[in-house]
Amino acid sequence: MATSVLPTLMGSVIDGPTGYTGVEATPEWAQEVRRLARERNATILAHNYQLPEIQDVADHVGDSLALSRIAAEAEEDTIVFCGVHFMAETAKILSPTKTVLIPDGRAGCSLADSITADQLREWKAEHPDAMVVSYVNTTAEVKALTDICCTSSNAVDVVASIDPDREVLFLPDQFLGAHVKRETGRANMHIWAGECHVHAGINGDELTEQARTHPDAELFVHPECGCATSALYLAGEGSFPADRVHILSTGGMIDAAKQAKSTQVLVATEIGMLHQLRKAAPGIDFQAVNDRASCPYMKMITPAALLRCLVEGADEVHVDPAMAAAGRASVQRMIEIGNPGGGE
């Protein structure tokens, strides 16, 4: 594609209330995105919940932790993180000398926003001897106040590694916390009442109805979902075969898809995940438990936003060096315990 097409594409970018629009994901757009990335010596990372066209143009697709590790090991000087803001912050924490860009800095996260650093300080003051375990889906400021981070893959191992007589403050996701408490049987574990509004909206009634009408399917359920307890209940009472109910991180879903024995899988997580699952196992019919479970923040990373990011070098992510060092220590402790898997 001729470079002269770029002004036409950039001239079409419109900044609206839901993000940047006006540019379609054409082959010409994809070719220009890749050319600009090479020109900027950048690698493009896309989270599993991104729009399919963003996933397809990226150099790497995966969970936030897996992508942050790739960012740290990448030879390129610039990381373009197509995800929400806390993910780009985590990449910056693990890659402090690199330039980290997010195509739209307004792409937040309802789960990360469900606890602030001040709220955590107050909670810690109420339990001064407790260990703080934070899900990676948190801001850099919260990670800096955390003893050990965790992912949904290793949250049980992280909590189990702590002295059983010591209190644990688990944050911010109440559904993941409930799953960990159930698995560990830990009585002195306090759970913050936070949630991802998208995952919380995938409820048990929906899951039960889908399981009833698809009796031969397997269930892939993210532990952030409000229906995770219902999934375990279905298996426990025998109304759905226990060996076909899987509570999984998004990275775990990709691995499980390749091993699935059923021809149909019901998926309880953000619907962007279906794109990678269908690519990983094209012979399986993957269906969303709730086809309305779409994160508006993830979908702010549009073709127009990515193009603007590469042309203008926007929006750069900055983390205070001292805060980054403290946050990096909590992430590194997590990696040393159990299996952190691919990420959230």
Side-chain angles (χ1 to χ4, degrees):
M1 176 178 126
T3 305
S4 60
V5 178
L6 178 59
T8 301
L9 288 173
M10 283 301 295
S12 301
V13 175
I14 301 168
D15 185 7
T18 58
Y20 294 97
T21 61
V23 175
E24 298 298 321
T26 62
E28 291 78 17
W29 164 83
Q31 187 174 342
E32 186 65 8
V33 163
R34 293 188 177 103
R35 184 191 69 80
L36 288 165
R38 289 194 301 271
E39 186 178 274
R40 192 174 279 281
N41 192 25
T43 187
I44 301 172
L45 311 181
H47 189 268
N48 288 317
Y49 296 162
Q50 289 290 291
L51 293 165
E53 52 266 38
I54 298 296
Q55 295 187 38
D56 288 344
V57 81
D59 297 303
H60 303 279
V61 181
D63 294 338
S64 63
L65 180 60
L67 293 176
S68 292
R69 286 169 163 171
I70 289 169
E73 296 169 1
E75 295 179 357
E76 291 84 358
D77 300 323
T78 298
I79 307 301
V80 178
F81 207 118
C82 298
V84 293
H85 198 268
F86 83 80
M87 297 178 181
E89 277 190 335
T90 306
K92 183 65 177 178
I93 286 171
L94 295 179
S95 310
T97 63
K98 293 181 180 178
T99 298
V100 177
L101 306 176
I102 182 170
D104 193 329
R106 299 167 294 187
C109 171
S110 60
L111 178 56
D113 289 345
S114 66
I115 186 166
T116 66
D118 285 342
Q119 288 173 319
L120 178 52
R121 289 188 188 96
E122 291 177 7
W123 203 25
K124 289 177 68 170
E126 295 170 4
H127 304 272
D129 296 323
M131 289 282 285
V132 176
V133 177
S134 294
Y135 193 23
V136 291
N137 297 34
T138 46
T139 64
E141 197 171 4
V142 167
K143 285 184 178 72
L145 296 170
T146 294
D147 293 304
I148 312 175
C149 281
C150 72
T151 70
S152 55
S153 298
N154 78 338
V156 171
D157 288 338
V158 166
V159 171
S161 75
I162 298 169
D163 185 332
D165 294 327
R166 193 165 183 185
E167 285 185 298
V168 172
L169 304 183
F170 188 95
L171 62 102
D173 189 82
Q174 60 183 310
F175 299 112
L176 178 59
H179 171 67
V180 172
K181 191 168 187 174
R182 183 168 51 241
E183 290 293 310
T184 61
R186 196 176 192 110
N188 58 352
M189 178 175 165
H190 309 283
I191 302 169
W192 189 260
E195 64 182 28
C196 160
H197 74 284
V198 175
H199 283 99
I202 306 174
N203 62 57
D205 290 341
E206 287 175 323
L207 181 73
T208 300
E209 177 60 18
Q210 291 274 27
R212 184 187 67 79
T213 56
H214 300 84
D216 297 323
E218 290 186 43
L219 303 182
F220 288 4
V221 181
H222 195 284
E224 283 182 39
C225 287
C227 65
T229 300
S230 296
L232 294 172
Y233 177 77
L234 287 173
E237 70 168 6
S239 60
F240 201 85
D243 63 350
R244 286 198 267 123
V245 177
H246 310 283
I247 309 298
L248 300 163
S249 67
T250 53
M253 287 183 184
I254 295 289
D255 294 336
K258 298 171 183 176
Q259 305 297 324
K261 297 179 176 62
S262 303
T263 57
Q264 187 172 61
V265 174
L266 302 176
V267 183
T269 191
E270 209 274 352
I271 59 173
M273 189 68 213
L274 295 173
H275 186 61
Q276 285 302 311
L277 289 172
R278 288 165 179 161
K279 290 175 72 172
I284 294 175
D285 177 22
F286 292 97
Q287 295 294 328
V289 169
N290 180 335
D291 61 10
R292 304 176 306 285
S294 176
C295 175
Y297 299 114
M298 284 286 183
K299 273 47 177 182
M300 289 180 74
I301 310 304
T302 61
L306 179 54
L307 183 70
R308 164 189 169 270
C309 172
L310 287 166
V311 171
E312 300 178 2
D315 294 327
E316 185 170 354
V317 176
H318 299 280
V319 179
D320 174 80
M323 185 185 298
R328 189 157 51 249
S330 66
V331 173
Q332 287 171 338
R333 291 187 197 107
M334 169 190 72
I335 292 171
E336 293 168 1
I337 296 172
N339 172 27
E344 77 289 345

